[in-house]
Amino acid sequence: MTLQEYDYARESPSKLAASCLLLALTMKNLGGWTPTLEYYSGYRSQDLHPLVKKLNFLLTYQPHDKLKAVRTKYSHRVFFEVAKVTPMDMLKLEEILKSC
C-alpha cells in the first residue's frame, strides 16, 4: 500500500520493511522487537515507532476507492486473508509500543 503513497517515498526501504514487520508482529500478538531483529535490521524498536504509527494510520484510514485489485487479491485465503486483518486501535498500539 505504501508504494502508492508519496509520503512513504522518502523512507528507506529497510526501515519501511522493519516497521511493517514490527506492526505485523504487534497486530498478530506474536511478540515484540527482539535483540536478534535489532541486530540484523540495524534498527532499535524506538527508531521504528513513528513509522509504525503512520503505517497503522494508513491501514485504519485507507481510501476504499483505491487499490481494489490489491485488496481483493490479498483477501484470498491463498494469501492468508491479510487484507482483512483489522488495524490496531491507535491508543492500544501506542501503549504496546511504549512497553517495547
Side-chain angles (χ1 to χ4, degrees), residues 18 33-45 48:
W33 203 244
T34 64
T36 303
L37 289 170
E38 183 177 325
Y39 176 80
Y40 285 106
S41 71
Y43 296 106
R44 296 178 309 130
S45 174
L48 303 174

Side-chain angles (χ1 to χ4, degrees), residues 11-43:
E11 300 293 345
S12 76
S14 63
K15 188 172 186 179
L16 189 57
S19 297
C20 288
L21 177 59
L22 179 55
L23 180 58
L25 290 171
T26 306
M27 289 174 77
K28 298 300 279 180
N29 200 19
L30 296 173
W33 203 244
T34 64
T36 303
L37 289 170
E38 183 177 325
Y39 176 80
Y40 285 106
S41 71
Y43 296 106

Side-chain angles (χ1 to χ4, degrees), residues 28-82:
K28 298 300 279 180
N29 200 19
L30 296 173
W33 203 244
T34 64
T36 303
L37 289 170
E38 183 177 325
Y39 176 80
Y40 285 106
S41 71
Y43 296 106
R44 296 178 309 130
S45 174
Q46 295 80 8
D47 299 336
L48 303 174
H49 290 180
L51 189 51
V52 168
K53 291 179 212 174
K54 192 174 170 184
L55 288 165
N56 192 61
F57 185 83
L58 177 66
L59 290 174
T60 304
Y61 297 104
Q62 58 185 316
H64 292 287
D65 58 332
K66 290 171 50 179
L67 304 175
K68 285 184 181 183
V70 173
R71 195 170 297 106
T72 301
K73 176 180 178 178
Y74 288 99
S75 292
H76 194 273
R77 70 171 206 236
V78 172
F79 296 104
F80 303 101
E81 299 178 338
V82 295

Side-chain angles (χ1 to χ4, degrees), residues 80-98:
F80 303 101
E81 299 178 338
V82 295
K84 295 179 181 179
V85 175
T86 307
M88 292 196 67
D89 177 67
M90 295 301 265
L91 294 174
K92 184 177 180 182
L93 178 62
E94 181 78 34
E95 181 181 309
I96 292 171
L97 289 177
K98 283 183 182 177

